[in-house]
Amino acid sequence: MNNGKLAAVILAAGRGTRMKSEHSKILHPLCGAPMGCYPVRAARDLGCEPILMVVGHDSENVQQAFAAEKVGFAPQSPQLGTGHALLCAEEALNGFSGTLLLLCADVPLLTPATLARFLEFHRTRQAAVTVLTMQQDDPRGYGRILRDGEEIHRIVEEKDAGDQEKTISEVNTGIYLFESPLIFRLLHGIGNDNAQREYYLTDTVRAAREAREKVCAMTLADAREAIGINDRVQLAQAEAILRRRINETHMTQGVTFVDPDAAYVEAPVEIGADTVIHPGAHLQGKTVLGRNCVIEPGVVIRDSRIADGVHIKAHSVVQESEIGPHCQIGPMAHLRHGTILRGDNKIGNFVETKKADIGLRTAASHLTYLGDSEIGADVNIGCGTITCNYDGVRKYKTIIEDQVFVGSDTQLVAPVRIGRNSLIGAGSTIVRDVPADALALSRAEQKNIEGWRLRERKKKSDK
Ligand code: UD1
Ligand code: CA
C-alpha cells in the first residue's frame, strides 16, 4: 500500500471572520513570518512534494505572499467545507499515489518532530486514514473522536453532537494523513447532510470504515502544538509560545536572555554563544550575531551581520548593516542600510550613518550624520559633524582618509575629499578638498568688542 511518496495539502481558503481583518488570517505575522509559512515549512521539512495550498478568501494576496515558497495553489470558490476544500486539490495532485499530509494554514505550531512521529505512526499501522487528536479540558467547538481502541470509527462535529458525545474530551486537531488516491474516492461519496450544510473532511473517517479501511488516531503529547488561530487573542498566545521556543533554542546554545518572554527574535536569526540579550530587543530578518555581544534594552536590529564582542547600547536601531568586531554602538544610534563598521569603532548617541564605510578604530561619539561616505582608519569625527550629501537633486560622496581629525560642528559639503592626517578646525564648513597633513579652517575670525555690555546697559538705564 505504501510506496514512500509523500505530498501535502494545506487548507487556507477560510475567511477567518474573527480576526476582523481585511486580509486573510494566514497572512498575519507570527514572529516575523506570515503564520501560513510555518505549516508550509513543516511539510517541506518532512519531505512533502508537491505542497499544495487550497486558497479562496483573499487568494491573490495569499498567492503573492507564498510565491517564493515553491507551493502550488488550488482555488476553492465558494468554500463549501473542509472536505470540499481537499477535493479542490485533487486535480492539481494529478493522480498522486502515496501518503497525503493534510495541514491547516492556521495551525502553525506543529513541530517537525511531531509530524515525523505522526507519519511513522500512520505507516507502521498501515492505516488508510490517521487523525491527529488532542485532549481538551474544554472541548467546545471541536470535532469529538469516537474511539474504538487504537482505531476510531467516527468524528462528530460540535453542532451535530448529542449530549453524551459532547462530553468526549478527545478532539480532532484538523490534521490528518491519508492514503491517496483512496481518500478522493471516499470524498466523492460524501454528502452535506449535517447542521452546517458543509462537506466535512471528518466524514471520510466513517466512509473509510464502511469501506473496511483502517482508521487510526494519534494523540498529541502537547496540545499547545495544535493551537488553531481564529482571533487575535490566539494569535498573541501562539506568538508567545513560538517566541519562547525560539529563545529556548538559543539558550541551549549558550545565549543569555535576561527575560526570554520579552525578547523578540525571529526564527531565521543566528546568535553566537555568550551573547546577552536584554528585554525589549528585536532581532529581525536575516540578522546574524556573533559571540560575546551585548544587546541592551530596546535595540532593534534587522538584516544585519554583527561580529563578535559588539556592544549595542539601549534604543539603537541597526538595519542592513555590517558591524565588525568589538564595536561600541549607541545608546540611541541609528545605523541605516549600507553602513559598514570595520571594527573597534565607537558610534555614540544620536549618530546616524547611511551607506558609510568606516575604517578600523574610527570614532563618531556624538550627534553626527555620516551618509554616502568612505572614512579611513583612526579618524576622529567631532561632535556635530554633518556630511551634506544631498543638494535636493542628487547625492554626493564624502571621502575622509586615515588619521584625519574632524573638529566639532563641521559641515562637509560633498563631493569632498579630506586628505590623510589633516585636521579640520571646529565650526568649519568645508566645500573644497583638503590636502594631506593640512589644517583646514573656514570660519569667520572672532571679533571681541571690549566693554560693549557695560555701554549697552548704561544706554538702557539712561532712558
Ligand atoms: C474543523 C474540523 C473539526 C476540528 C477543527 C480543528 C471539519 C468538518 N471539522 O472544524 O473536527 O476539531 O477543524 O480546528 O473539518 N477551510 C477551507 N475551506 C473551507 C472550509 C475550511 O480551506 O471550505 C480551511 C480553513 O481555512 C481552516 C481549516 O480549513 O484552515 C479548518 O476550517 P474551520 O472552519 O476552522 O473548521 P472547523 O469548523 O473549526
Ligand atoms: Ca477552526
Side-chain angles (χ1 to χ4, degrees):
M1 180 180 192
N2 219 309
N3 59 8
K5 288 209 177 121
L6 192 58
V9 172
I10 301 175
L11 303 189
R15 220 187 129 71
T17 320
R18 280 174 283 166
M19 291 296 278
K20 307 248 164 80
S21 174
E22 266 176 51
H23 308 292
S24 162
K25 75 172 157 186
I26 71 160
L27 297 180
H28 287 260
L30 205 56
C31 294
M35 74 168 88
C37 280
Y38 294 91
V40 170
R41 288 172 194 167
R44 179 157 315 120
D45 283 354
L46 200 65
C48 298
E49 171 65 35
I51 299 171
L52 296 171
M53 277 181 116
V54 179
V55 294
H57 181 66
D58 200 20
S59 85
E60 266 168 45
N61 287 322
V62 170
Q63 293 193 41
Q64 205 183 339
F66 289 89
E69 297 281 344
K70 296 200 186 93
V71 296
F73 299 100
Q76 186 199 17
S77 169
Q79 286 104 48
L80 304 177
T82 47
H84 175 249
L86 178 53
L87 266 180
C88 290
E90 185 180 17
E91 205 180 297
L93 280 167
N94 201 13
F96 170 78
S97 165
T99 304
L100 191 65
L101 171 65
L102 188 121
L103 298 174
C104 292
D106 55 356
V107 179
L109 298 185
L110 286 163
T111 62
T114 295
L115 289 176
R117 222 177 307 126
F118 186 39
L119 181 61
E120 165 81 13
F121 184 98
H122 173 78
R123 285 189 167 159
T124 53
R125 282 157 187 79
Q126 300 198 317
V129 177
T130 303
V131 183
L132 190 64
T133 69
M134 59 184 167
Q135 290 291 340
Q136 287 285 306
D137 293 339
D138 178 7
R140 263 178 302 171
Y142 290 102
R144 311 296 206 281
I145 304 294
L146 303 178
R147 273 230 182 225
D148 176 5
E150 206 175 59
E151 298 186 35
I152 64 175
H153 48 92
R154 207 150 72 82
I155 300 176
V156 56
E157 291 304 294
E158 167 91 24
K159 288 183 177 134
D160 305 299
D163 288 344
Q164 194 59 38
E165 289 163 337
K166 279 187 182 154
T167 64
I168 296 172
S169 60
E170 184 179 19
V171 301
N172 176 19
T173 61
I175 310 299
Y176 316 80
L177 285 161
F178 297 119
E179 284 310 301
S180 178
L182 169 69
I183 180 62
F184 293 102
R185 283 204 300 279
L186 300 173
L187 272 175
H188 282 291
I190 277 167
N192 64 348
D193 183 17
N194 53 51
Q196 303 186 82
R197 295 273 149 218
E198 284 185 2
Y199 295 89
Y200 287 168
L201 191 50
T202 45
D203 281 350
T204 58
V205 169
R206 192 188 346 204
R209 291 286 294 223
E210 281 165 10
R212 302 193 176 284
E213 296 288 348
K214 189 170 184 185
V215 183
C216 290
M218 184 183 107
T219 313
L220 265 180
D222 181 356
R224 290 179 310 170
E225 282 193 38
I227 284 183
I229 296 174
N230 298 305
D231 59 32
R232 295 186 201 235
V233 174
Q234 289 166 328
L235 181 68
Q237 286 166 345
E239 170 114 8
I241 294 169
L242 192 58
R243 181 187 313 141
R244 188 75 197 199
R245 227 188 245 173
I246 291 169
N247 292 351
E248 279 181 7
T249 305
H250 290 296
M251 287 188 266
T252 59
Q253 289 163 2
V255 178
T256 293
F257 284 81
V258 174
D259 179 355
D261 293 324
Y264 308 90
V265 182
E266 294 183 0
V269 171
E270 294 170 34
I271 311 175
D274 288 319
T275 284
V276 178
I277 313 285
H278 286 266
H282 295 253
L283 308 180
Q284 305 171 330
K286 296 188 199 83
T287 293
V288 177
L289 236 67
R291 304 169 72 94
N292 284 307
C293 294
V294 178
I295 307 300
E296 286 194 5
V299 167
V300 180
I301 307 177
R302 163 161 287 279
D303 294 327
S304 296
R305 295 187 75 85
I306 317 287
D308 296 344
V310 171
H311 187 164
I312 306 185
K313 296 175 192 167
H315 301 289
S316 296
V317 176
V318 179
Q319 285 163 328
E320 294 170 59
S321 296
E322 240 175 85
I323 312 299
H326 308 294
C327 290
Q328 305 263 332
I329 294 162
M332 289 160 289
H334 189 187
L335 276 51
R336 294 167 53 206
H337 62 276
T339 297
I340 302 172
L341 305 184
R342 298 285 165 173
D344 289 304
N345 300 98
K346 179 160 188 256
I347 301 293
N349 44 210
F350 306 109
V351 174
E352 174 181 343
T353 60
K354 183 214 75 177
K355 287 190 187 165
D357 184 339
I358 298 175
L360 285 170
R361 294 173 299 278
T362 286
S365 298
H366 345 255
L367 297 161
T368 285
Y369 174 59
L370 301 171
D372 302 300
S373 304
E374 244 175 72
I375 303 174
D378 299 300
V379 171
N380 184 75
I381 306 282
C383 174
T385 299
I386 297 169
T387 54
C388 309
N389 58 333
Y390 187 46
D391 65 2
V393 183
R394 291 182 54 189
K395 302 267 169 84
Y396 302 93
K397 212 161 180 181
T398 300
I399 296 172
I400 303 175
E401 296 179 358
D402 295 348
Q403 289 158 20
V404 167
F405 186 98
V406 180
S408 295
D409 188 29
T410 291
Q411 299 90 54
L412 300 157
V413 181
V416 71
R417 175 187 285 269
I418 314 299
R420 186 190 165 82
N421 194 39
S422 57
L423 188 148
I424 296 174
S428 293
T429 301
I430 301 296
V431 297
R432 280 183 287 123
D433 289 356
V434 176
D437 303 310
L439 165 68
L441 263 180
S442 79
R443 54 190 188 223
E445 218 170 294
Q446 182 170 331
K447 230 192 265 175
N448 288 344
I449 302 167
E450 304 231 359
W452 185 87
R453 281 278 279 168
L454 298 175
R455 285 199 302 278
E456 287 295 301
R457 201 171 295 156
K458 190 155 185 300
K459 264 194 238 163
K460 276 181 196 152
S461 60
D462 286 351
K463 268 185 195 163

